[in-house]
Amino acid sequence: MELFIMILVLLALIGVSNVINRQLPSVPVPLIQIALGSAITFIPSGFHMELEPELFLVLFIAPLLYNDGKHTPRSELWRLRAPIFLLAIGLVFATVFMIGYAIHWMIPSIPLPVSFALAAILSPTDAVAVGALAGRIGLPKSLMHLLEGEALMNDASGLVAFKFALAAAVTGYFSLSEASVSFLIIAIGGVIIGVILASLITGLRFLLRRSGLEDETLHMLIHILTPFALYLIAEEFGLSGILAAVAGGVMHAVERDKSNKARPRTHELSDNTWSVILFLLNGLVFVLLGLQLPEVFRTIFKSPDFNNFQAIGYALIIFIMLIVLRFLWTFAFSRGGKVFGGTKNKDEMSFKVLAMTAISGVRGAVTLAGAFSIPLVIANGDPFPERSLVIFLAAVVILLSLITASIVLPLLAKTDKGNAEAELEEKERQGQYKMMNAAIQAINHAKNEENEVETEAVLRDYNRWIRQFHPRARRQGNLRIHKKEAGLRIAALEIEREKTREMLASGDITKEQAALFLKALEQIELTLSRSTHLWVIIMKTVARKIKGVFFKKEVKPTYKLSGFDREVMRSIKLQTSSAVIEALEKKKSGPNKNEVTDIVNHYHLIIERLSKPFQGRHQDQSEGNEEVRRDLHWIAIQAERDEVQRLYERSEISRDIANELRRIIRDREASILEQE
C-alpha cells in the first residue's frame, strides 16, 4: 500500500509540475520536477525511494529511446551520420580519456580507473532534457536533429565505456585491445539483434492480423511490450540493450511508413497511447532524479572527510571542462567540411551555433543511474574508493548542465529582431493552417449519413475562417495588447450582464429568459479567460451561484429554445450590444483606444448580423440540428487544441506561438458560443 501511495504522489507531482510551468514558463519542466522530487523528501514521514539502476534503465530509458528512434527523421540521421558518429562515439572516448586524466590530476584521491568511470558516465547527453528545453527555446532544427541522433547513440557508448572502466577499478585489470573489440561486438550486436527482433515482432503482428485478430488493444499491448523485450533480450546476450531499443524504434518507423495508408486509425490509437506513457515516463525520470539528490548532498555535506565548497568547486571545474571539450571538438569537425560531415553554410558553423551545441549537451538521468550502479566494494573487499564523492560530482554536474542550458540557450537562440519577427510570423501562419486543417479532418472523420447537413454547415464555417485569415494582423500588436483585449471583452460581458438584469427588473424579459442569456454570457466569459484569470472568473461564478441560491433562488434554464425564445434572445443580445457600444464609445479617446475600437467594431458586427430578418425554418434546414452542429463544433475545437499541443511537443512551434494559437482558438470558441 505504501508503494502504491508513493506512485500516486509521484504521478501527482508530474501534473503539478506542468501547472507550475504554465505559470512560470521561463523555468524548464525538468528543473521544476527535480525541485518537487527533492522537496517531498523533507516530509516528516520520510518519503524516499531507492534508485535501482538496472530497473531504471529498462523501465525508463528503453521505452524513451525506443520512441526517439521511432520519431527521429531517418533521412536526417543519415545526412548527419558523420557528426553524430563523432559526437556519440568519438567525443565520448575523448571525454573518458581527457576528462578522466584531468579528474585524477585534480583529485588524486580518486584512482585513475575510477576517474575514467566518472568521465564515462558524464559523457552521455540526455535527449529527454534537451527536448524539454527545445520547445521553449526554439533550437534550430538541424541542431535539434544532431542532438537527438547523438543522444540515441552516446548512451550506449558511454555506458559501455563506464562498464569497462568500472571493471578496471574493481579488478585492477584493463586491456585496451580487449575493450575495443568488446565495444564493437556489444554495439553492433545490439543494433543487429534490435533489427532482427523488431522485424520478428512486426511479422507476428502481421500474421495476427491475417488470422483475423484485429483487436487494437492486443496490438497496442504488443507495441508497449516491444522496447522492454528488445532491451532485456539484448542484455541477456551481453549486447547493448539501449542500441537494440533504438534500432527497434527505427524499424517500427519503417513498418509504419509502409502501412500508413492501410491502417491510419491504428497508428492514431498507438500515438495517443504512447503520448500518455511518454508523458508519465518523462516526468518520472526527473522526479526520481530529484528524490535522490538530497541524500547525495547530505552524504557529502555531513561528512568530515570532505570540504563542501571544495567539492562543489570540483564539480564546477569538471562541468566547465566538459563544455570546453565539447566546444573544441565540435569546432574541430565543423571546420573539416565534407570530410567530417560538415556543411558549407557559414551560418551553421558560426560561433553561436557551436556554443549552442556545446551547452546543449545536458546530462540527465542516465548519468545518475550509472553513478548509483557503482558497487560498494571492490574485488578484495575494500570499500569502493570515493564512491560518495563520485556520485555527488555526477549529481552536481547534472544540475549545472540543466541550469546553464535553461539560462544561456534562450540568449544564444535569439536572432535579430527583423528576422525573428518574420520567422515567428511564418511559424504562426503555418500553425494556424495546420490546426484548422486538423479541425476539418476531425469533422470529416465524424461525418455520417445522419449528420451530413450539420457537417457541411460546420465545414462552411471553417472554410470561411480560412478565407478570412490574415496572418499579419496578429503581429501588429503583442501579448500585452491581447491581454488588454481579453480584459475589455470580459468587461463588455459585465455590461451585458447588467443590462440583462435591468431588462429583467423592468419586466421586459422573464426570469427563465434572463437565466438562459446569463448562462450563455458565463460560458463566453470562461472561454475568453486566460489561465491567470480563470480562477478569478470561477470564484465570481461560484459567488453568483451562492447568491442566487440563498437570496434570489436563481432560475436554471432547463428547456429547449423555441422560435419565440430565439427572437427574445436575439432582442436581448441587440440591446446588450448597444449598451456595450454606448459605454465603450466614451473610452475611445483613452489610452487603450485601439483595443476599445476593436471591441466596439465587434459588437457593431453582432448588431448588423442580428438585425437581419430571422430566416426561421429555412435556416434550420440549411444548417441542420443545432445540437448536432454544436457538438461538431466542439469536436473541431478540440482537434485544434490537440494539434497545437502536438506541434509544441514536437518543437515545431515555441511556447509563445502555442499560447497565441490557443488564444485564437478561445476567440473562435467564444464566437461560436455567441452564434449559438
Side-chain angles (χ1 to χ4, degrees):
M1 190 64 181
E2 183 179 351
L3 178 61
F4 177 70
I5 293 175
M6 189 178 297
I7 293 173
L8 288 181
V9 171
L10 296 180
L11 295 178
L13 289 179
I14 297 173
V16 171
S17 69
N18 282 268
V19 173
I20 295 175
N21 179 250
R22 183 74 174 176
Q23 305 302 322
L24 300 173
S26 60
V27 182
V29 174
L31 284 178
I32 297 174
Q33 290 167 342
I34 290 173
L36 291 174
S38 299
I40 63 171
T41 61
F42 296 98
I43 296 175
S45 60
F47 197 96
H48 183 68
M49 179 180 288
E50 293 291 337
L51 182 66
E52 298 183 20
E54 287 300 322
L55 178 61
F56 183 87
L57 290 174
V58 68
L59 187 58
F60 294 99
I61 304 304
L64 289 174
L65 290 181
Y66 174 82
N67 181 73
D68 289 340
K70 185 172 64 175
H71 287 107
T72 302
R74 298 187 300 282
S75 59
E76 290 297 317
L77 286 178
W78 180 252
R79 185 178 69 84
L80 297 171
R81 61 191 182 279
I84 287 175
F85 178 84
L86 285 165
L87 286 174
I89 308 296
L91 180 57
V92 165
F93 290 110
T95 300
V96 171
F97 288 105
M98 299 178 70
I99 303 298
Y101 276 112
I103 291 173
H104 177 62
W105 174 81
M106 182 174 59
I107 315 174
S109 63
I110 301 181
L112 186 60
V114 179
S115 299
F116 285 156
L118 175 57
I121 204 59
L122 289 174
S123 59
T125 55
D126 193 323
V128 177
V130 174
L133 295 172
R136 182 176 62 90
I137 295 169
L139 293 176
K141 281 189 176 181
S142 58
L143 175 58
M144 196 60 214
H145 292 319
L146 176 62
L147 296 173
E148 289 172 345
E150 176 194 8
L152 287 175
M153 305 298 175
N154 67 8
D155 281 346
S157 56
L159 288 174
V160 170
F162 173 73
K163 174 183 175 182
F164 285 111
L166 202 61
V170 172
T171 64
Y173 172 76
F174 177 76
S175 170
L176 180 61
S177 59
E178 290 182 13
S180 301
V181 173
S182 297
F183 172 76
L184 291 175
I185 293 174
I186 291 171
I188 297 174
V191 172
I192 292 174
I193 200 168
V195 170
I196 294 174
L197 289 175
S199 300
L200 291 175
I201 293 172
T202 299
L204 172 64
R205 293 174 59 196
F206 177 76
L207 290 175
L208 290 175
R209 290 187 181 278
R210 288 288 299 269
S211 65
L213 286 174
E214 291 284 351
D215 185 357
E216 300 302 341
T217 306
L218 171 63
H219 287 276
M220 191 63 240
L221 177 61
I222 296 174
H223 194 186
I224 292 173
L225 295 176
T226 297
F228 304 110
L230 294 174
Y231 181 91
L232 291 173
I233 293 174
E235 289 291 325
E236 189 66 25
F237 283 99
L239 305 173
S240 173
I242 288 177
L243 286 179
V246 172
V250 174
M251 288 301 296
H252 174 83
V254 172
E255 181 265 338
R256 176 185 177 128
D257 291 344
K258 290 180 179 179
S259 60
N260 189 45
K261 295 181 180 179
R263 295 188 300 274
R265 293 193 65 183
T266 304
H267 298 146
E268 181 181 333
L269 173 64
S270 172
D271 289 342
N272 291 336
T273 305
W274 269 103
S275 65
V276 176
I277 295 173
L278 295 172
F279 174 78
L280 296 177
L281 292 180
N282 284 332
L284 284 172
V285 163
F286 293 104
V287 173
L288 288 173
L289 180 59
L291 281 175
Q292 312 306 315
L293 293 183
E295 184 62 29
V296 172
F297 288 179
R298 195 179 297 117
T299 302
I300 295 297
F301 290 162
K302 288 187 176 182
S303 174
D305 299 331
F306 303 103
N307 181 300
N308 296 342
F309 292 104
Q310 191 176 31
I312 295 174
Y314 287 150
L316 180 60
I317 293 172
I318 293 172
F319 172 67
I320 293 173
M321 288 192 297
L322 289 169
I323 293 293
V324 172
L325 176 60
R326 187 176 174 85
F327 178 87
L328 294 176
W329 187 268
T330 309
F331 176 83
F333 81 71
S334 69
R335 292 297 183 254
K338 294 181 179 179
V339 175
F340 292 97
T343 175
K344 295 182 179 180
N345 190 336
K346 294 182 179 180
D347 292 336
E348 293 187 3
M349 295 190 298
S350 66
F351 174 86
K352 183 172 73 173
V353 173
L354 292 174
M356 291 173 69
T357 305
I359 295 172
S360 297
V362 179
R363 273 66 185 179
V366 172
T367 295
L368 196 64
F372 272 103
S373 69
I374 295 175
L376 295 174
V377 296
I378 59 177
N380 61 7
D382 293 337
F384 192 95
E386 303 292 9
R387 181 178 186 273
S388 297
L389 180 59
V390 168
I391 296 175
F392 173 82
L393 294 174
V396 176
V397 169
I398 291 171
L399 288 179
L400 288 174
S401 65
L402 276 169
I403 294 171
T404 302
S406 63
I407 295 174
V408 178
L409 281 179
L411 300 177
L412 292 175
K414 288 183 178 179
T415 57
D416 65 274
K417 190 173 180 180
N419 291 338
E421 195 73 13
E423 185 178 351
L424 285 174
E425 187 69 49
E426 177 62 20
K427 285 186 177 180
E428 184 183 319
R429 185 181 69 84
Q430 292 293 335
Q432 283 209 51
Y433 280 130
K434 286 180 180 180
M435 72 183 191
M436 295 180 82
N437 284 330
I440 291 174
Q441 291 178 11
I443 296 168
N444 285 323
H445 188 70
K447 184 178 180 180
N448 54 49
E449 295 181 357
E450 297 178 356
N451 64 8
E452 287 186 5
V453 175
E454 293 83 1
T455 299
E456 293 301 323
V458 176
L459 287 174
R460 283 197 299 270
D461 287 339
Y462 270 91
N463 288 326
R464 185 179 74 252
W465 288 328
I466 290 176
R467 289 194 301 271
Q468 294 173 349
F469 169 51
H470 298 291
R472 294 194 178 275
R474 207 277 296 182
R475 287 296 165 195
Q476 294 172 358
N478 54 34
L479 187 58
R480 186 178 301 171
I481 290 176
H482 297 319
K483 291 179 181 178
K484 292 178 181 178
E485 288 177 354
L488 286 170
R489 285 289 300 275
I490 292 173
L493 292 175
E494 190 60 36
I495 296 172
E496 290 195 68
R497 203 174 272 120
E498 289 298 323
K499 180 62 176 178
T500 305
R501 295 192 185 105
E502 291 178 10
M503 296 173 68
L504 175 61
S506 63
D508 294 337
I509 57 176
T510 66
K511 290 182 180 180
E512 290 79 7
Q513 292 163 346
L516 189 63
F517 191 80
L518 291 173
K519 180 67 174 177
L521 293 182
E522 182 181 304
Q523 291 177 339
I524 296 171
E525 187 177 31
L526 287 170
T527 300
L528 289 171
S529 301
R530 297 171 55 252
S531 58
T532 52
H533 297 153
L534 188 57
W535 286 109
V536 177
I537 300 300
I538 292 175
M539 293 306 295
K540 286 182 178 180
T541 303
V542 171
R544 285 197 295 266
K545 297 289 185 184
I546 295 174
K547 186 177 179 181
V549 170
F550 287 99
F551 298 100
K552 296 184 178 179
K553 294 184 179 180
E554 181 184 27
V555 178
K556 296 182 180 180
T558 58
Y559 59 92
K560 293 185 178 180
L561 287 172
S562 64
F564 174 74
D565 291 322
R566 292 181 186 279
E567 280 293 335
V568 173
M569 293 298 107
R570 187 164 68 96
S571 174
I572 297 174
K573 189 65 178 179
L574 283 168
Q575 295 185 58
T576 58
S577 298
S578 299
V580 171
I581 293 173
E582 182 180 353
L584 293 184
E585 285 286 356
K586 302 173 183 178
K587 299 182 180 180
K588 272 192 171 182
S589 58
N592 301 326
K593 59 181 180 180
N594 292 332
E595 293 79 23
V596 171
T597 300
D598 289 339
I599 302 300
V600 170
N601 291 338
H602 171 74
Y603 276 93
H604 275 302
L605 288 174
I606 291 176
I607 291 176
E608 180 182 350
R609 178 170 55 84
L610 294 178
S611 297
K612 296 178 180 179
F614 185 61
Q615 297 177 358
R617 185 180 301 273
H618 176 70
Q619 185 180 16
D620 289 341
Q621 291 176 347
S622 64
E623 297 191 354
N625 183 276
E626 178 185 346
E627 292 184 5
V628 175
R629 192 174 67 250
R630 183 176 61 245
D631 290 342
L632 288 171
H633 268 303
W634 299 146
I635 290 173
I637 289 291
Q638 188 57 49
E640 291 189 66
R641 288 198 173 100
D642 292 342
E643 180 67 13
V644 171
Q645 184 64 24
R646 187 190 68 82
L647 293 173
Y648 175 69
E649 289 176 352
R650 295 190 177 184
S651 303
E652 295 184 29
I653 58 176
S654 65
R655 180 185 294 274
D656 289 340
I657 293 178
N659 288 337
E660 175 62 20
L661 294 177
R662 292 186 182 107
R663 183 197 65 81
I664 293 171
I665 294 172
R666 288 199 302 271
D667 289 347
R668 180 156 36 248
E669 189 176 2
S671 298
I672 292 171
L673 284 170
E674 285 186 321
Q675 290 178 12
E676 298 291 348

